[in-house]
Structure formats: C-alpha cells, structure tokens
Amino acid sequence: MYRGGYLKQLTDIIKDYSIDILAIQEITWTGNGILEKKDCTVYYSCHKSLHHFGTGFIIHRKISHLVIQFQAIDIRICKIRIKDRFHNYSIISAPAPTEEKSDDEKDSFYVLLEKSV
C-alpha cells in the first residue's frame, strides 16, 4: 500500500462489497497510527522507518464509532476491539512468518502473538 492509489482501490472494494471490517497485511507504511478517510478509518502498525511488513485494519465509517481500542503491537501483529450490543470482540491481524524464516524469528512471533491474546 506504499504506492499511490492502493488505499483508494481498497476503499472502493470495501464499498462495492459492503465490507465493514477488513484486515490487511503488507501495508509497508512507516510508523503506527490511525488514518481517517472519507468512507473509512485505517488502523495500522508498521516498522518505524523501513517500508516493509505492516498490518492493520480498514473499518467502514458506518461502524467506526464502535471501535473501542486499537493496539499496534508489532510490525506483524495488531489488535482492535469492537463494541457490540451484548459483547465486545477482539480481532487480531497477525500474518505469520513464512517457512523460510529462521526458527528464532518464528518462535518470537508466536510468543508475542500468545501474549497479545
């Protein structure tokens, strides 16, 4: 999503398919934050200075008021809490390291993921 136009394409898809919550990976932005757009809000967790990895959520504006909390945990893990009528829901976006990554990297990812739950 670092290149121009990708976010616009995703927001158009969200509108066309009536998607309320979309977990996204490989954002490749820098830093963590919340980006307000016309039709949606983007919550993201990326590397502080490098344009690689990154994960987050795109929340449609009709339910954006139900977001209780966003937690940028790591460049591979973020969590959002959504308020519902009877329950609150936690949704985690966590693309795991691929098979070619080192065992240490995979182990540290799963330890951090377990702490995030």
Side-chain angles (χ1 to χ4, degrees), residues 20-89:
D20 293 333
I21 302 171
L22 180 67
I24 51 177
Q25 290 83 36
E26 299 296 332
I27 297 175
T28 66
W29 292 348
T30 56
N32 306 321
I34 300 169
L35 178 64
E36 298 281 339
K37 289 298 203 178
K38 179 181 156 191
D39 294 326
C40 63
T41 305
V42 180
Y43 298 84
Y44 62 97
S45 175
C46 299
H47 193 276
K48 291 180 183 177
S49 59
L50 300 176
H51 293 280
H52 68 276
F53 299 121
T55 185
F57 299 94
I58 300 178
I59 307 294
H60 193 278
R61 69 180 150 101
K62 71 182 176 185
I63 69 159
S64 62
H65 67 283
L66 299 175
V67 174
I68 300 169
Q69 178 188 30
F70 170 71
Q71 226 178 339
I73 299 166
D74 186 51
I75 60 173
R76 290 187 181 269
I77 304 171
C78 66
K79 179 168 73 171
I80 198 163
R81 299 243 332 132
I82 305 289
K83 179 181 177 183
D84 192 27
R85 187 172 185 181
F86 299 109
H87 304 283
N88 296 332
Y89 296 95

